[in-house]
Amino acid sequence: MPPNVEVRRSSRRRRTVSAYRDGDKVVVMLPSRLSKAEEEQWIATLLGRLEERERRRRPSDADLETRARELSRRHLGGRAVPSSVRWVANQRTRWGSCTPDDGTIRLSTRLRGMPAWVVDYVLVHELAHLLVPGHGADFWALVAHYPKAERARGYLEGVAAAANLPLDDSDDELADGLRHGVAG
């Protein structure tokens, strides 16, 4: 058995198997009737699935840049072309940032593990800044092309409120945009 794996067998569990991360270990839940060989096979399968799921939820910089280009194509007509897109750990009060002059986009590592549609929203928001630097009506009209913009914005506001984090300085512009029906 690989290190840091805890196997929990249950006589009530008949057919289902599952695994989840608990700190630095992986807990594998199995029916008690499985043989040792079946247990080892399921552990390998479940560890592979867990690793793949975690990889998808924590894309690399290259994955992030590929995703940004796809989102630009799909929602902004391919007009926003970043020179680089990467994760950064030094953003404590923002989800992302963009420097339109050099085309760089940075996303906070706090977004890692959040649903993909939320990360996509932040990418679209920053891509829109490559086309419109401020948070005016033109900017919010671009962001509104992303169909889950309002939902993702609410998700991020909830995360920020639960963690008692300040919302970024575009909130006043967002509220103004929502009042005028242009924000997503």
Side-chain angles (χ1 to χ4, degrees):
M1 181 169 27
N4 294 326
V5 173
E6 177 183 327
V7 176
R8 296 183 186 167
R9 290 175 168 264
S10 170
S11 58
R12 291 187 306 187
R13 187 176 285 264
R14 298 283 179 214
R15 291 182 288 206
T16 61
V17 296
S18 64
Y20 63 91
R21 193 167 296 283
D22 183 15
D24 64 343
K25 71 179 173 187
V26 174
V27 177
V28 176
M29 310 282 284
L30 301 171
S32 59
R33 64 170 175 73
L34 295 181
S35 70
K36 190 67 174 165
E38 289 171 317
E39 175 184 305
E40 289 175 11
Q41 184 177 12
W42 273 114
I43 289 171
T45 299
L46 292 171
L47 289 176
R49 288 180 187 170
L50 185 61
E51 184 178 314
E52 176 60 22
R53 186 171 57 223
E54 289 174 345
R55 187 194 64 73
R56 280 194 316 268
R57 294 194 77 179
R58 289 175 170 73
S60 68
D61 288 352
D63 294 334
L64 205 56
E65 188 164 338
T66 299
R67 185 66 182 153
R69 292 182 190 284
E70 172 60 20
L71 290 166
S72 174
R73 184 193 64 73
R74 190 180 304 164
H75 303 293
L76 302 171
R79 295 179 299 139
V81 181
S83 60
S84 73
V85 182
R86 62 189 172 92
W87 294 106
V88 295
N90 64 351
Q91 291 187 6
R92 299 283 180 232
T93 60
R94 294 178 178 222
W95 299 112
S97 62
C98 172
T99 306
D101 291 344
D102 65 8
T104 58
I105 293 175
R106 293 154 309 280
L107 264 57
S108 172
T109 54
R110 292 183 299 132
L111 289 165
R112 282 190 166 156
M114 288 190 188
W117 52 270
V118 173
V119 176
D120 284 355
Y121 162 75
V122 177
L123 282 169
V124 169
H125 180 109
E126 300 310 331
L127 287 163
H129 279 308
L130 293 176
L131 304 172
V132 179
H135 286 102
D138 291 346
F139 170 82
W140 289 113
L142 287 173
V143 173
H145 285 97
Y146 180 63
K148 294 184 180 178
E150 187 174 343
R151 182 178 175 202
R153 180 73 184 187
Y155 183 98
L156 292 170
E157 287 174 352
V159 169
N164 203 23
L165 297 171
L167 296 174
D168 69 32
D169 58 352
S170 66
D171 292 328
D172 293 337
E173 290 92 350
L174 173 66
D176 193 44
L178 286 171
R179 281 193 294 274
H180 294 96
V182 297

